[in-house]
Amino acid sequence: MSPLVEFCDVRFAYASSRQFALDGVSFAVNEGEACALVGPNGCGKSTALRLLVGLDHPLSGEVRFAGEAIDASALHDVRFSKRLRQRVGLVFQDPDVQLFCPSVAEEVSFGPRQMGLAPEEVQRRTDDCLRLFDLERLRDRAPWRLSGGEKRRCAIACVVSLAPDLLCLDEPTNGLDDESRAGMVAFLRSFVAAGKTVLVATHDLQLVSELGARTISLARR
Amino acid sequence: MLASRSEQESCGSRGREPLPEWLLCGSPYEPSTDRDSSMRRNVLALTRALVTLRAEPDPAERRTGVDRALGGVAPTIRLVGTLVLVACVSLARNLAFAWLMLAILLVLCAVRPAHRIAQIVGPAALAALLAFLVNMPAVLLGQASAPVRMTTKTFVTVGYVAGLAQTLGSDGMVAALRGLGLAPQVATVADLALRDIVVLGEAATSLSEALSLRSVGTNKDKTASAAGVMGAVFVRAQRLATARAEAMELRGYGLGWADARMRRRLRGADVAYVLAMAAVVAAFVYLEGAMA
Amino acid sequence: MHIPDNYLSPATDAVLAVAMVPIWVHSAHKVREELDQEQVSFVGMAAAFSFLLMMFNVPLPGGTTGHAVGGTLIACLLGPHAACLAVSVALGIQALIFGDGGILAFGANCFNMAFVLPFVGHAVYQLVLGANPSGARRAVALFVGAYVGLNVAALVAAIEFGIQPLLFADAGGQALYCPYPLAVSIPAMCIPHLLVAGVIEGVATVAIYEFVARVAPDVMIRPNTSMRKASSLLPVAALVGILVVATPLGLLAEGTAWGEWGADEIAETGAGYVPAGMENGFEWEALMPDYTLGALPDAVAYVISAIAGVALLVVAFKLLSLAARPRGAYAG
């Protein structure tokens, strides 16, 4: 069976920089796997996740998801890009720049409402996600009033409510206390056990071992 | 806030509860073809522009010979030199001097990388276009030379100022102003404001990207989403400002300590630059006199 | 070979200008496809060579002057489509700023020097080059291609001149525009180009091409776009600088090129009258007419013109390169 995610000799440089953020990177992630992109700061972990969801496009090489190439022309097809972003959920490193709705409940329900689901289904998904990430008592609170750890859980919840096949997380355990961290790890393990795929960009090797993830090392240029 | 023991237990067990069915085997999603709203795309474009139009020197970029030579000159002297040049170009009655300075500007641009040229030529061309439009009525009055003169002078002067801003960067500009006696508090505020614009631009870009990543279907209230992004940026700005004010206070800012500006000695590069400016003024005097 | 205004009828100008539009559009598409950012940037420097070559006037038999164009050089370095754009931009700058070549005749000048010259020159070059050429064979191919390209362009220009009296004359039989028929224009233009200007074009093309191939092979277009070894543009820039400083040599050749006389000069050249179209024709006030600048000595103004022209071309193509794909990016 072909891999769910493939990076084939990908090169990428940000417009403002002459240095390549990724220079000839190749790796694959299979369905139902937990994988971790590891490496020092500045080695391109976050960049690789951005390329996967089409926020940026490689200068050369190919990024594939479920056998389909992710590039500018593919994303021009509105339906393709929406389907991609429903199937691949990306949680940024900084949860502050992920939350833009007036309350936590609206934040979590934003995605399902977009998908045109029935109101009961939207409500069900919202309640489930709030419960999964221990946000029930915060449902009416404004996101900017949350603590750092609460924001991170909220950011993950509002991506999980889309029911993605692949969950991409950028440094998911930053700023979490032990309890929240344990809850996060348990969720991710259940997610993978149910046949879904997780790709984590992290320098937290303990998380990698707790998830039982296969590591993909990126070296800094 | 410490949780009670029972809450801790239930939190601990929550993570191990089975995942809901919709998450495990959701049916394949068929999205609509509803396009992103132009407002959101415009917000994204605007915030990206805020970040990229900032013509800061990039330490990772290879500096050209011209930049290295100019980099050794004190920012204050460069600022004064540029102002003198702008004054000469503006005062020139015939165009010979302006063309000469335009030729020099083009040569200084020609050795730079393409995106740096765009950062100089872009604002200059825009300003020149505005000047041309403003002077268009002169053509109708039979004074065809006026628009040409104003357009050229505007392009040249804005071009040199943009080049100065690009090579000095916001740090250098504030340092140059401080050398001219700008009050330290004003300089600090200006400095911080310039940095904040960039930081906020980046935050707005990330928020817009997050919005686009979750816009997987039909957004019936696009305006609210765009407004949510801008609101989040505003909150972040307010937070940043508060945190910075507290940090500054903790390090003694505002207690009236002496301004610890280091005096810089005159270097060879400074002298060379002053001589070059003198040559420019001499050329101005000669061309104005010779062609009067 | 720069055709001034009022030598060709407006109809001729219009036809040739309209003919150039699809050529420019097609060339822009091809350049976008074939060249990456660094190469498009280099087109500016190649255009600078062309611009400078056109400033070096050489005396020709018959008392007129001529100059090389360098179109085939650019075509062999970067492809004929890039040459078309480069020479067009250089001609545009010469027409607008320096009054060298007409504004209305811009289309005609581009047709001759930016289309016919590089495409014919490049085709001949490829023909002579063959497969697996040696260094000597390449030099021969370059010379022959440049020589033929320039002369075919000169022939086309001569035909454009020569048909004017046939097609556009007043009631009294006097030509409205160029007064010299084909029997005069063709030998007058072609012989000097065949004997002198073509040779100069060939020699300059070979010399500059070999120089660039040795110091900056990175920016040239080749059949196999695989690994290129790193190179430096500094020597090329130095060569441009040397040529800029040497441009006043082009002032030594006195006399105007054939077919570039002003309305005041044409009566004495043998026509005996000033054609009506020239007397009352379109006048463009260039900023630095004939590369002069007010009271400045000619040589100084010539060098300043050269500097300004070169800088403008380099800046223009560097800005255009922002629209090209970055080096290392896949095409299409």
Side-chain angles (χ1 to χ4, degrees):
Chain A
M1 198 169 65
S2 61
L4 187 64
V5 172
E6 275 183 278
F7 273 60
C8 305
D9 200 25
V10 168
R11 297 171 88 210
F12 176 79
Y14 286 101
S16 55
S17 172
R18 292 188 83 117
Q19 288 176 319
F20 281 104
L22 293 173
D23 198 353
V25 164
S26 299
F27 65 85
V29 178
N30 296 311
E31 200 168 350
E33 232 191 327
C35 275
L37 290 171
V38 297
N41 291 342
C43 68
K45 307 190 289 292
S46 305
T47 307
L49 296 182
R50 288 177 63 92
L51 292 177
L52 184 52
V53 291
L55 285 175
D56 291 306
H57 304 295
L59 289 177
S60 69
E62 217 170 42
V63 176
R64 305 184 83 87
F65 175 76
E68 302 202 49
I70 311 297
D71 54 32
S73 53
L75 288 170
H76 215 68
D77 177 1
V78 172
R79 296 183 72 188
F80 176 81
S81 89
K82 287 183 179 176
R83 211 178 304 121
L84 174 71
R85 286 163 181 180
Q86 181 268 321
R87 293 189 68 186
V88 182
L90 172 61
V91 183
F92 290 162
Q93 191 171 347
D94 182 2
D96 251 327
V97 292
Q98 193 133 20
L99 308 172
F100 47 79
C101 292
S103 72
V104 170
E106 281 188 65
E107 206 60 82
V108 175
S109 64
F110 182 83
R113 276 186 285 129
Q114 292 275 303
M115 289 166 71
L117 299 173
E120 309 83 52
E121 176 67 18
V122 172
Q123 189 65 47
R124 180 151 60 110
R125 288 198 183 192
T126 307
D127 292 340
D128 286 341
C129 284
L130 291 175
R131 195 179 57 249
L132 269 173
F133 294 98
D134 193 23
L135 296 166
E136 282 165 302
R137 61 188 168 80
L138 302 168
R139 69 182 307 138
D140 295 317
R141 195 171 295 187
W144 54 83
R145 290 182 189 277
L146 302 176
S147 73
E150 289 166 347
K151 277 186 199 162
R152 189 169 292 282
R153 296 199 318 259
C154 179
I156 299 182
C158 59
V159 170
V160 166
S161 65
L162 291 167
D165 295 323
L166 165 65
L167 201 53
C168 298
L169 305 133
D170 199 347
E171 305 290 359
T173 51
N174 273 5
L176 288 185
D177 58 32
D178 289 340
E179 187 191 309
S180 304
R181 184 203 161 84
M184 164 91 61
V185 171
F187 167 77
L188 291 175
R189 288 169 65 108
S190 309
F191 194 70
V192 173
K196 302 283 190 167
T197 316
V198 164
L199 179 60
V200 185
T202 185
H203 55 260
D204 179 354
L205 296 177
Q206 193 191 348
L207 171 68
V208 174
S209 93
E210 283 169 350
L211 285 180
R214 172 168 66 91
T215 57
I216 301 165
S217 289
L218 297 179
R220 182 165 44 204
R221 304 304 306 172
Chain B
M1 179 172 63
L2 292 173
S4 68
R5 191 176 167 77
S6 57
E7 274 182 46
Q8 282 176 3
E9 279 173 347
S10 53
C11 278
S13 66
R14 254 185 211 125
R16 280 185 279 278
E17 63 178 73
L19 298 179
E21 197 211 312
W22 57 263
L23 182 57
L24 298 178
C25 41
S27 43
Y29 170 56
E30 279 308 320
S32 67
T33 47
D34 176 33
R35 286 209 158 270
D36 293 336
S37 84
S38 57
M39 178 191 276
R40 195 189 57 73
R41 268 182 298 145
N42 288 340
V43 166
L44 194 55
L46 185 66
T47 52
R48 279 204 172 128
L50 263 178
V51 177
T52 54
L53 257 185
R54 154 202 173 206
E56 294 284 319
D58 179 3
E61 203 177 291
R62 200 179 57 204
R63 294 171 78 194
T64 63
V66 169
D67 287 332
R68 272 192 299 246
L70 287 174
V73 182
T76 309
I77 295 179
R78 288 193 56 197
L79 180 60
V80 171
T82 307
L83 289 173
V84 165
L85 196 150
V86 165
C88 286
V89 172
S90 308
L91 291 171
R93 268 169 307 168
N94 66 71
L95 276 181
F97 181 74
W99 291 124
L100 179 64
M101 299 317 296
L102 176 61
I104 296 175
L105 176 66
L106 286 173
V107 171
L108 290 173
C109 282
V111 296
R112 288 208 159 96
H115 65 283
R116 292 297 186 191
I117 300 177
Q119 284 168 348
I120 296 176
V121 169
L126 198 61
L129 177 65
L130 282 169
F132 180 73
L133 290 172
V134 163
N135 280 280
M136 278 293 278
V139 178
L140 300 170
L141 293 169
Q143 285 275 334
S145 61
V148 174
R149 202 166 44 236
M150 289 310 298
T151 310
T152 313
K153 287 185 176 185
T154 308
F155 185 88
V156 172
T157 50
V158 176
Y160 275 104
V161 171
L164 178 73
Q166 185 189 94
T167 47
L168 278 187
S170 51
D171 292 341
M173 284 296 252
V174 174
L177 288 170
R178 287 188 63 180
L180 288 176
L182 185 72
Q185 293 88 345
V186 179
T188 311
V189 167
D191 202 9
L192 294 173
L194 285 165
R195 288 179 213 269
D196 283 348
I197 289 173
V198 172
V199 168
L200 291 176
E202 286 167 351
T205 303
S206 298
L207 277 159
S208 301
E209 285 176 345
L211 173 58
S212 84
L213 284 180
R214 280 196 279 150
S215 298
V216 295
T218 313
N219 190 351
K220 294 194 173 63
D221 199 352
K222 297 179 168 69
T223 320
S225 304
V229 167
M230 298 314 287
V233 173
F234 179 77
V235 169
R236 193 177 175 86
Q238 192 261 338
R239 285 265 174 88
L240 271 179
T242 310
R244 184 183 291 118
E246 289 168 348
M248 287 164 71
E249 214 179 291
L250 287 174
R251 287 207 284 161
Y253 185 79
L255 293 179
W257 291 359
D259 174 23
R261 190 190 342 160
M262 289 185 289
R263 294 239 165 258
R264 192 174 163 280
R265 289 174 56 188
L266 219 56
R267 287 192 218 153
D270 300 332
V271 174
Y273 187 84
V274 169
L275 287 174
M277 285 300 114
V280 165
V281 173
F284 169 74
V285 169
Y286 171 73
L287 286 169
E288 282 292 290
M291 301 177 128
Chain C
M1 219 193 300
H2 292 71
I3 303 174
D5 275 328
N6 309 317
Y7 267 77
L8 304 179
S9 70
T12 318
D13 288 333
V15 163
L16 291 167
V18 165
M20 278 310 292
V21 172
I23 297 171
W24 282 322
V25 170
H26 180 68
S27 293
H29 277 307
K30 291 295 272 189
V31 164
R32 191 117 195 266
E33 234 174 66
E34 289 169 8
L35 303 185
D36 62 34
Q37 248 176 16
E38 309 234 345
Q39 287 168 326
V40 173
S41 231
F42 183 69
V43 174
M45 246 190 217
F49 278 120
S50 171
F51 179 83
L52 291 169
L53 284 174
M54 291 198 266
M55 287 180 82
F56 278 100
N57 294 309
V58 287
L60 297 177
T64 61
T65 57
H67 55 71
V69 174
T72 310
L73 167 68
I74 309 178
C76 298
L77 283 173
L78 294 156
H81 303 281
C84 177
L85 295 179
V87 176
S88 300
V89 176
L91 289 172
I93 291 173
Q94 289 176 322
L96 281 171
I97 300 180
F98 303 110
D100 197 1
I103 302 292
L104 299 179
F106 178 67
N109 282 317
C110 285
F111 186 83
N112 302 337
M113 289 187 271
F115 173 57
V116 170
L117 199 159
F119 279 89
V120 167
H122 188 253
V124 170
Y125 162 77
Q126 298 250 311
L127 203 63
V128 176
L129 195 66
N132 298 326
S134 66
R137 186 162 181 149
R138 181 183 298 278
V140 169
L142 285 166
F143 183 90
V144 173
Y147 182 83
V148 172
L150 184 74
N151 279 289
V152 171
L155 177 64
V156 172
I159 293 172
E160 286 161 11
F161 277 128
I163 58 173
Q164 300 303 307
L166 293 174
L167 298 174
F168 306 100
D170 63 14
Q174 290 196 329
L176 288 169
Y177 305 103
C178 174
Y180 295 108
L182 287 167
V184 176
S185 68
I186 292 182
M189 283 221 67
C190 292
I191 293 176
H193 283 90
L194 283 166
L195 291 178
V196 184
V199 173
I200 298 173
E201 175 91 353
V203 168
T205 302
V206 174
I208 299 177
Y209 182 95
E210 295 297 342
F211 180 75
V212 173
R214 199 172 52 239
V215 303
D218 222 23
V219 290
M220 294 164 54
I221 203 171
R222 283 193 201 278
N224 54 327
T225 51
S226 57
M227 297 293 211
R228 298 190 183 93
K229 56 186 204 294
S231 57
S232 168
L233 285 176
L234 216 51
V236 182
L239 179 60
V240 169
I242 292 171
L243 287 175
V244 162
V245 170
T247 45
L249 292 171
L251 288 168
L252 293 174
E254 303 204 344
T256 320
W258 196 96
E260 293 188 20
W261 305 286
D264 47 340
E265 298 166 289
I266 193 154
E268 288 130 26
T269 58
Y273 64 97
V274 181
M278 286 192 197
E279 227 174 351
N280 311 316
F282 177 77
E283 285 277 341
W284 168 256
E285 263 191 57
L287 298 156
M288 293 181 66
D290 287 327
Y291 307 98
T292 57
L293 188 60
L296 282 176
D298 279 353
V300 175
Y302 219 55
V303 172
I304 293 177
S305 308
I307 293 173
V310 165
L312 191 52
L313 284 165
V314 170
V315 166
F317 279 96
K318 274 196 173 172
L319 287 173
L320 283 174
S321 79
L322 290 171
R325 60 186 155 86
R327 172 145 293 191
Y330 51 87

